[in-house]
Amino acid sequence: DLLGGTDADQARCSMVISMVVTDLLESFSGMLWAPIRSSSAGGPLEYASNAEMLIEAHLCVMEQRLARVEALYAERSGPFLLGGTPCVADYYVMNLACIIRECYRCECTAPRLAALHTAMLARPAVRQYLSSTAPPRARYSNSPQEQAVLNTLRASRPLRI
């Protein structure tokens, strides 16, 4: 069962999915769109004058939330959220771990997230999928400023987890 067998496991899994999707992936996506939001939401001129501050705020949010995900994984033995077998939340966290490795400079001291990444890459179906096709260039949004924002993120201070 990819959500876990007990009610507590299912709640734990749902909480992590919510944290990853709502807090982390939406923050990442919002950052990609920041330069071209409408004037009521900041607009290009406001982004240009506050880009450094916005990126620093984004990095702080990411660090806080990732520390919480790391702490949740540390509550159980094994590389997966629920222990020795993966649940659906692990696939979301794996996706996030890949985005972090591709889009940010990192000073990663998160051993549980690193262990999850390694364990997921060792899974036969994941390994087969990744080896079966050449991965296309990552495109995370349809933002016309995506590449510029990614370059800025990579050039900013490291994400410390």
Side-chain angles (χ1 to χ4, degrees), residues 17-146:
I17 291 170
S18 177
M19 285 175 61
V20 170
V21 173
T22 302
D23 294 342
L24 294 161
L25 293 177
E26 283 187 11
S27 178
F28 174 68
S29 179
M31 197 68 233
L32 297 178
W33 283 97
I36 57 169
R37 288 186 183 142
S38 68
S39 60
S40 64
L45 294 176
E46 187 171 322
Y47 175 82
S49 63
N50 294 309
E52 191 173 307
M53 179 186 69
L54 290 170
I55 287 173
E56 180 60 28
H58 168 73
L59 292 173
C60 287
V61 166
M62 294 293 283
E63 289 165 345
Q64 291 169 357
R65 300 305 192 274
L66 286 166
R68 181 66 184 127
V69 172
E70 175 73 10
L72 286 167
Y73 274 81
E75 291 175 6
R76 300 273 175 100
S77 63
F80 304 111
L81 180 65
L82 302 178
T85 58
C87 66
V88 70
D90 295 315
Y91 290 90
Y92 280 96
V93 175
M94 170 64 174
N95 181 45
L96 179 65
C98 290
I99 289 171
I100 289 168
R101 287 172 180 254
E102 294 167 4
C103 299
Y104 296 85
R105 288 179 38 215
C106 284
E107 289 178 1
C108 188
T109 57
R112 297 298 182 146
L113 294 178
L116 171 73
H117 187 263
T118 300
M120 292 297 281
L121 289 176
R123 295 189 56 75
V126 172
R127 191 173 50 246
Q128 179 183 4
Y129 171 75
L130 293 175
S131 67
S132 68
T133 180
R137 182 186 82 72
R139 178 101 177 144
Y140 302 101
S141 72
N142 287 323
S143 169
Q145 294 296 315
E146 177 177 304

